[in-house]
Amino acid sequence: MHLCDIPEEAMNQLHLPNGLPLVYNVKRKCITLLDDGSGRDPTEVHDFGPAAQHLFRPCELDDDFFLQMEEQISKADTEEKPVLAA
């Protein structure tokens, strides 16, 4: 519920089929399904319930965001940090 920002009132309207692998991308804050190779849209094949839009929303972050974050971290690590007196 908290990872996907699913409203509490929508939780009882969400159906998660057994045996269907859901993959949570921590970096991008989104859920995807493993491709079974059939070419069919899993949301049309499986019943995720009326609250399915809360599971399968577009990923919030893209690769450019993470590249920028890594650059900022590297830059901050190379800058001199002041020494605190004891």
PDB file of all heavy atoms in Angstrom, residues 37-58:
ATOM      1  N   GLY A  37       5.608 -13.919 -22.763  1.00  0.00           N
ATOM      2  CA  GLY A  37       5.918 -14.237 -24.150  1.00  0.00           C
ATOM      3  C   GLY A  37       4.701 -14.453 -25.027  1.00  0.00           C
ATOM      4  O   GLY A  37       4.828 -14.724 -26.211  1.00  0.00           O
ATOM      5  N   SER A  38       3.506 -14.351 -24.468  1.00  0.00           N
ATOM      6  CA  SER A  38       2.294 -14.607 -25.248  1.00  0.00           C
ATOM      7  C   SER A  38       1.895 -13.412 -26.109  1.00  0.00           C
ATOM      8  O   SER A  38       1.112 -13.562 -27.039  1.00  0.00           O
ATOM      9  CB  SER A  38       1.135 -14.966 -24.322  1.00  0.00           C
ATOM     10  OG  SER A  38       0.745 -13.846 -23.561  1.00  0.00           O
ATOM     11  N   GLY A  39       2.393 -12.227 -25.776  1.00  0.00           N
ATOM     12  CA  GLY A  39       2.018 -11.032 -26.513  1.00  0.00           C
ATOM     13  C   GLY A  39       0.695 -10.434 -26.046  1.00  0.00           C
ATOM     14  O   GLY A  39       0.269  -9.409 -26.552  1.00  0.00           O
ATOM     15  N   ARG A  40       0.061 -11.070 -25.082  1.00  0.00           N
ATOM     16  CA  ARG A  40      -1.215 -10.570 -24.560  1.00  0.00           C
ATOM     17  C   ARG A  40      -0.968  -9.587 -23.424  1.00  0.00           C
ATOM     18  O   ARG A  40      -0.003  -9.715 -22.679  1.00  0.00           O
ATOM     19  CB  ARG A  40      -2.081 -11.727 -24.046  1.00  0.00           C
ATOM     20  CG  ARG A  40      -2.431 -12.733 -25.128  1.00  0.00           C
ATOM     21  CD  ARG A  40      -3.254 -13.865 -24.588  1.00  0.00           C
ATOM     22  NE  ARG A  40      -2.488 -14.541 -23.510  1.00  0.00           N
ATOM     23  CZ  ARG A  40      -2.976 -15.471 -22.731  1.00  0.00           C
ATOM     24  NH1 ARG A  40      -4.219 -15.861 -22.860  1.00  0.00           N
ATOM     25  NH2 ARG A  40      -2.241 -16.027 -21.803  1.00  0.00           N
ATOM     26  N   ASP A  41      -1.860  -8.617 -23.303  1.00  0.00           N
ATOM     27  CA  ASP A  41      -1.783  -7.639 -22.221  1.00  0.00           C
ATOM     28  C   ASP A  41      -2.248  -8.312 -20.935  1.00  0.00           C
ATOM     29  O   ASP A  41      -3.401  -8.736 -20.843  1.00  0.00           O
ATOM     30  CB  ASP A  41      -2.663  -6.437 -22.544  1.00  0.00           C
ATOM     31  CG  ASP A  41      -2.620  -5.360 -21.471  1.00  0.00           C
ATOM     32  OD1 ASP A  41      -1.870  -5.515 -20.480  1.00  0.00           O
ATOM     33  OD2 ASP A  41      -3.335  -4.358 -21.637  1.00  0.00           O
ATOM     34  N   PRO A  42      -1.386  -8.448 -19.935  1.00  0.00           N
ATOM     35  CA  PRO A  42      -1.763  -9.144 -18.699  1.00  0.00           C
ATOM     36  C   PRO A  42      -2.947  -8.511 -17.981  1.00  0.00           C
ATOM     37  O   PRO A  42      -3.712  -9.189 -17.326  1.00  0.00           O
ATOM     38  CB  PRO A  42      -0.516  -9.069 -17.823  1.00  0.00           C
ATOM     39  CG  PRO A  42       0.590  -8.682 -18.716  1.00  0.00           C
ATOM     40  CD  PRO A  42      -0.009  -8.002 -19.894  1.00  0.00           C
ATOM     41  N   THR A  43      -3.131  -7.200 -18.135  1.00  0.00           N
ATOM     42  CA  THR A  43      -4.258  -6.557 -17.463  1.00  0.00           C
ATOM     43  C   THR A  43      -5.583  -6.922 -18.118  1.00  0.00           C
ATOM     44  O   THR A  43      -6.632  -6.786 -17.509  1.00  0.00           O
ATOM     45  CB  THR A  43      -4.098  -5.026 -17.434  1.00  0.00           C
ATOM     46  OG1 THR A  43      -3.973  -4.535 -18.770  1.00  0.00           O
ATOM     47  CG2 THR A  43      -2.873  -4.631 -16.625  1.00  0.00           C
ATOM     48  N   GLU A  44      -5.538  -7.412 -19.356  1.00  0.00           N
ATOM     49  CA  GLU A  44      -6.754  -7.884 -20.018  1.00  0.00           C
ATOM     50  C   GLU A  44      -6.985  -9.366 -19.747  1.00  0.00           C
ATOM     51  O   GLU A  44      -8.111  -9.837 -19.775  1.00  0.00           O
ATOM     52  CB  GLU A  44      -6.668  -7.632 -21.515  1.00  0.00           C
ATOM     53  CG  GLU A  44      -6.681  -6.163 -21.879  1.00  0.00           C
ATOM     54  CD  GLU A  44      -6.488  -5.913 -23.363  1.00  0.00           C
ATOM     55  OE1 GLU A  44      -6.404  -6.884 -24.136  1.00  0.00           O
ATOM     56  OE2 GLU A  44      -6.421  -4.727 -23.748  1.00  0.00           O
ATOM     57  N   VAL A  45      -5.933 -10.101 -19.462  1.00  0.00           N
ATOM     58  CA  VAL A  45      -6.035 -11.537 -19.211  1.00  0.00           C
ATOM     59  C   VAL A  45      -6.414 -11.835 -17.763  1.00  0.00           C
ATOM     60  O   VAL A  45      -7.202 -12.719 -17.485  1.00  0.00           O
ATOM     61  CB  VAL A  45      -4.703 -12.237 -19.564  1.00  0.00           C
ATOM     62  CG1 VAL A  45      -4.747 -13.705 -19.222  1.00  0.00           C
ATOM     63  CG2 VAL A  45      -4.359 -12.026 -21.032  1.00  0.00           C
ATOM     64  N   HIS A  46      -5.861 -11.062 -16.831  1.00  0.00           N
ATOM     65  CA  HIS A  46      -6.061 -11.294 -15.398  1.00  0.00           C
ATOM     66  C   HIS A  46      -6.943 -10.211 -14.801  1.00  0.00           C
ATOM     67  O   HIS A  46      -6.904  -9.055 -15.225  1.00  0.00           O
ATOM     68  CB  HIS A  46      -4.717 -11.318 -14.665  1.00  0.00           C
ATOM     69  CG  HIS A  46      -3.774 -12.335 -15.200  1.00  0.00           C
ATOM     70  ND1 HIS A  46      -3.894 -13.671 -14.928  1.00  0.00           N
ATOM     71  CD2 HIS A  46      -2.700 -12.211 -16.011  1.00  0.00           C
ATOM     72  CE1 HIS A  46      -2.929 -14.333 -15.534  1.00  0.00           C
ATOM     73  NE2 HIS A  46      -2.184 -13.471 -16.204  1.00  0.00           N
ATOM     74  N   ASP A  47      -7.717 -10.586 -13.802  1.00  0.00           N
ATOM     75  CA  ASP A  47      -8.593  -9.641 -13.115  1.00  0.00           C
ATOM     76  C   ASP A  47      -7.860  -9.042 -11.915  1.00  0.00           C
ATOM     77  O   ASP A  47      -7.639  -9.719 -10.919  1.00  0.00           O
ATOM     78  CB  ASP A  47      -9.866 -10.352 -12.654  1.00  0.00           C
ATOM     79  CG  ASP A  47     -10.778  -9.442 -11.857  1.00  0.00           C
ATOM     80  OD1 ASP A  47     -10.692  -8.211 -12.016  1.00  0.00           O
ATOM     81  OD2 ASP A  47     -11.578  -9.968 -11.064  1.00  0.00           O
ATOM     82  N   PHE A  48      -7.461  -7.792 -12.040  1.00  0.00           N
ATOM     83  CA  PHE A  48      -6.806  -7.090 -10.942  1.00  0.00           C
ATOM     84  C   PHE A  48      -7.791  -6.255 -10.138  1.00  0.00           C
ATOM     85  O   PHE A  48      -7.407  -5.575  -9.209  1.00  0.00           O
ATOM     86  CB  PHE A  48      -5.670  -6.205 -11.470  1.00  0.00           C
ATOM     87  CG  PHE A  48      -4.522  -6.995 -12.022  1.00  0.00           C
ATOM     88  CD1 PHE A  48      -4.387  -7.187 -13.375  1.00  0.00           C
ATOM     89  CD2 PHE A  48      -3.585  -7.556 -11.167  1.00  0.00           C
ATOM     90  CE1 PHE A  48      -3.327  -7.922 -13.880  1.00  0.00           C
ATOM     91  CE2 PHE A  48      -2.527  -8.295 -11.665  1.00  0.00           C
ATOM     92  CZ  PHE A  48      -2.403  -8.480 -13.025  1.00  0.00           C
ATOM     93  N   GLY A  49      -9.047  -6.293 -10.526  1.00  0.00           N
ATOM     94  CA  GLY A  49     -10.082  -5.567  -9.809  1.00  0.00           C
ATOM     95  C   GLY A  49     -10.189  -4.127 -10.262  1.00  0.00           C
ATOM     96  O   GLY A  49      -9.401  -3.642 -11.075  1.00  0.00           O
ATOM     97  N   PRO A  50     -11.184  -3.416  -9.713  1.00  0.00           N
ATOM     98  CA  PRO A  50     -11.427  -2.042 -10.130  1.00  0.00           C
ATOM     99  C   PRO A  50     -10.331  -1.052  -9.721  1.00  0.00           C
ATOM    100  O   PRO A  50     -10.279   0.050 -10.247  1.00  0.00           O
ATOM    101  CB  PRO A  50     -12.756  -1.679  -9.467  1.00  0.00           C
ATOM    102  CG  PRO A  50     -13.045  -2.744  -8.489  1.00  0.00           C
ATOM    103  CD  PRO A  50     -12.197  -3.924  -8.804  1.00  0.00           C
ATOM    104  N   ALA A  51      -9.452  -1.433  -8.830  1.00  0.00           N
ATOM    105  CA  ALA A  51      -8.383  -0.527  -8.390  1.00  0.00           C
ATOM    106  C   ALA A  51      -7.054  -0.801  -9.090  1.00  0.00           C
ATOM    107  O   ALA A  51      -6.013  -0.343  -8.648  1.00  0.00           O
ATOM    108  CB  ALA A  51      -8.210  -0.624  -6.880  1.00  0.00           C
ATOM    109  N   ALA A  52      -7.082  -1.522 -10.202  1.00  0.00           N
ATOM    110  CA  ALA A  52      -5.844  -1.892 -10.912  1.00  0.00           C
ATOM    111  C   ALA A  52      -5.026  -0.682 -11.347  1.00  0.00           C
ATOM    112  O   ALA A  52      -3.806  -0.772 -11.438  1.00  0.00           O
ATOM    113  CB  ALA A  52      -6.179  -2.762 -12.116  1.00  0.00           C
ATOM    114  N   GLN A  53      -5.679   0.432 -11.590  1.00  0.00           N
ATOM    115  CA  GLN A  53      -4.929   1.615 -12.046  1.00  0.00           C
ATOM    116  C   GLN A  53      -3.934   2.080 -10.997  1.00  0.00           C
ATOM    117  O   GLN A  53      -2.954   2.744 -11.318  1.00  0.00           O
ATOM    118  CB  GLN A  53      -5.871   2.759 -12.445  1.00  0.00           C
ATOM    119  CG  GLN A  53      -6.518   3.489 -11.286  1.00  0.00           C
ATOM    120  CD  GLN A  53      -7.828   2.863 -10.812  1.00  0.00           C
ATOM    121  OE1 GLN A  53      -8.178   1.766 -11.243  1.00  0.00           O
ATOM    122  NE2 GLN A  53      -8.535   3.554  -9.950  1.00  0.00           N
ATOM    123  N   HIS A  54      -4.136   1.708  -9.745  1.00  0.00           N
ATOM    124  CA  HIS A  54      -3.189   2.092  -8.699  1.00  0.00           C
ATOM    125  C   HIS A  54      -1.917   1.250  -8.752  1.00  0.00           C
ATOM    126  O   HIS A  54      -0.864   1.688  -8.314  1.00  0.00           O
ATOM    127  CB  HIS A  54      -3.828   1.962  -7.316  1.00  0.00           C
ATOM    128  CG  HIS A  54      -4.958   2.917  -7.106  1.00  0.00           C
ATOM    129  ND1 HIS A  54      -4.771   4.275  -6.989  1.00  0.00           N
ATOM    130  CD2 HIS A  54      -6.286   2.701  -7.016  1.00  0.00           C
ATOM    131  CE1 HIS A  54      -5.943   4.861  -6.826  1.00  0.00           C
ATOM    132  NE2 HIS A  54      -6.877   3.935  -6.841  1.00  0.00           N
ATOM    133  N   LEU A  55      -2.024   0.034  -9.287  1.00  0.00           N
ATOM    134  CA  LEU A  55      -0.846  -0.829  -9.415  1.00  0.00           C
ATOM    135  C   LEU A  55      -0.016  -0.469 -10.629  1.00  0.00           C
ATOM    136  O   LEU A  55       1.198  -0.364 -10.549  1.00  0.00           O
ATOM    137  CB  LEU A  55      -1.278  -2.296  -9.558  1.00  0.00           C
ATOM    138  CG  LEU A  55      -1.566  -3.075  -8.318  1.00  0.00           C
ATOM    139  CD1 LEU A  55      -1.930  -4.503  -8.679  1.00  0.00           C
ATOM    140  CD2 LEU A  55      -0.398  -3.070  -7.368  1.00  0.00           C
ATOM    141  N   PHE A  56      -0.667  -0.342 -11.753  1.00  0.00           N
ATOM    142  CA  PHE A  56       0.039  -0.204 -13.024  1.00  0.00           C
ATOM    143  C   PHE A  56      -0.049   1.225 -13.546  1.00  0.00           C
ATOM    144  O   PHE A  56      -0.637   1.510 -14.555  1.00  0.00           O
ATOM    145  CB  PHE A  56      -0.519  -1.200 -14.040  1.00  0.00           C
ATOM    146  CG  PHE A  56      -0.460  -2.603 -13.554  1.00  0.00           C
ATOM    147  CD1 PHE A  56      -1.606  -3.273 -13.182  1.00  0.00           C
ATOM    148  CD2 PHE A  56       0.755  -3.245 -13.414  1.00  0.00           C
ATOM    149  CE1 PHE A  56      -1.549  -4.567 -12.706  1.00  0.00           C
ATOM    150  CE2 PHE A  56       0.828  -4.541 -12.934  1.00  0.00           C
ATOM    151  CZ  PHE A  56      -0.332  -5.198 -12.583  1.00  0.00           C
ATOM    152  N   ARG A  57       0.593   2.123 -12.824  1.00  0.00           N
ATOM    153  CA  ARG A  57       0.676   3.506 -13.273  1.00  0.00           C
ATOM    154  C   ARG A  57       2.076   3.706 -13.861  1.00  0.00           C
ATOM    155  O   ARG A  57       2.980   2.919 -13.601  1.00  0.00           O
ATOM    156  CB  ARG A  57       0.400   4.466 -12.131  1.00  0.00           C
ATOM    157  CG  ARG A  57       1.268   4.269 -10.929  1.00  0.00           C
ATOM    158  CD  ARG A  57       0.779   5.135  -9.773  1.00  0.00           C
ATOM    159  NE  ARG A  57       1.384   4.704  -8.537  1.00  0.00           N
ATOM    160  CZ  ARG A  57       2.588   5.025  -8.130  1.00  0.00           C
ATOM    161  NH1 ARG A  57       3.354   5.777  -8.872  1.00  0.00           N
ATOM    162  NH2 ARG A  57       3.055   4.585  -6.995  1.00  0.00           N
ATOM    163  N   PRO A  58       2.253   4.754 -14.649  1.00  0.00           N
ATOM    164  CA  PRO A  58       3.584   4.980 -15.238  1.00  0.00           C
ATOM    165  C   PRO A  58       4.656   5.142 -14.162  1.00  0.00           C
ATOM    166  O   PRO A  58       4.389   5.662 -13.079  1.00  0.00           O
ATOM    167  CB  PRO A  58       3.409   6.278 -16.028  1.00  0.00           C
ATOM    168  CG  PRO A  58       1.942   6.411 -16.239  1.00  0.00           C
ATOM    169  CD  PRO A  58       1.276   5.739 -15.075  1.00  0.00           C
TER     170      PRO A  58
END
